[in-house]
Amino acid sequence: MPLGDYLLASLGAIHHRVDWKLNAASRRLLSAYSWPGNIRELRNALERGIVFGKGPDSPRNDFPENIRAAIGGTAALSGLRSLEQIERDVILQTLEATRYQISKSAEILGISRKTLLEKEKNTVCNNRP
């Protein structure tokens, strides 16, 4: 990974860690990731490895979780839900707990009645009995 080596050398000079290199495991990891953030994301991941890393071999654990997940660590991320899913679940649980009393649910959630009605309508919370 020539670009990774170049960036690591540049970042090593900036952070006074010129002896840092990409080991074989790190190369496999970086090659497996799709890099939706392109070069900027790669640079940030390498810089994080240098700044927070424990040794000059760029161990795999020095990279962010989303990058580590690319090579088989997806189990750690598999249980995660989107913010929209969490919001929908919380709204539904609150509505069920209050027996669909909109004003009381809105008060508990800390939002206006109108906002709750909009969220209920727009976030597929239409499981209402």
Side-chain angles (χ1 to χ4, degrees):
M1 171 171 255
L3 179 59
D5 292 331
Y6 171 77
L7 290 171
L8 196 60
S10 299
L11 293 166
I14 292 169
H15 294 285
H16 308 292
R17 294 185 175 193
V18 293
D19 56 336
W20 282 55
K21 304 285 184 239
L22 289 172
N23 62 24
S26 295
R27 287 178 188 282
R28 281 191 304 276
L29 174 68
L30 296 176
S31 295
Y33 187 65
S34 66
W35 299 105
N38 298 322
I39 294 172
R40 183 175 297 177
E41 187 177 10
L42 174 60
R43 184 187 186 283
N44 289 342
L46 292 171
E47 188 163 29
R48 176 187 170 164
I50 285 178
V51 171
F52 296 112
K54 296 175 179 71
D57 288 337
S58 300
R60 179 178 157 160
N61 292 337
D62 292 342
F63 294 109
E65 176 63 31
N66 62 324
I67 295 171
R68 289 188 310 227
I71 198 163
T74 54
L77 294 176
S78 64
L80 297 180
R81 300 180 296 161
S82 72
L83 206 48
E84 184 178 332
Q85 291 169 323
I86 294 168
E87 181 180 65
R88 182 178 58 239
D89 291 348
V90 169
I91 289 171
L92 281 172
Q93 289 171 359
T94 305
L95 287 168
E96 289 170 1
T98 62
R99 295 190 174 160
Y100 289 88
Q101 295 177 11
I102 300 297
S103 296
K104 185 169 181 124
S105 295
E107 183 181 332
I108 291 169
L109 292 167
I111 58 177
S112 72
R113 187 177 193 282
K114 180 181 176 185
T115 300
L116 178 57
L117 288 170
E118 288 175 15
K119 286 184 179 291
E120 182 188 22
K121 182 175 73 179
N122 296 330
T123 61
V124 193
C125 287
N126 299 335
N127 299 354
R128 205 173 165 166

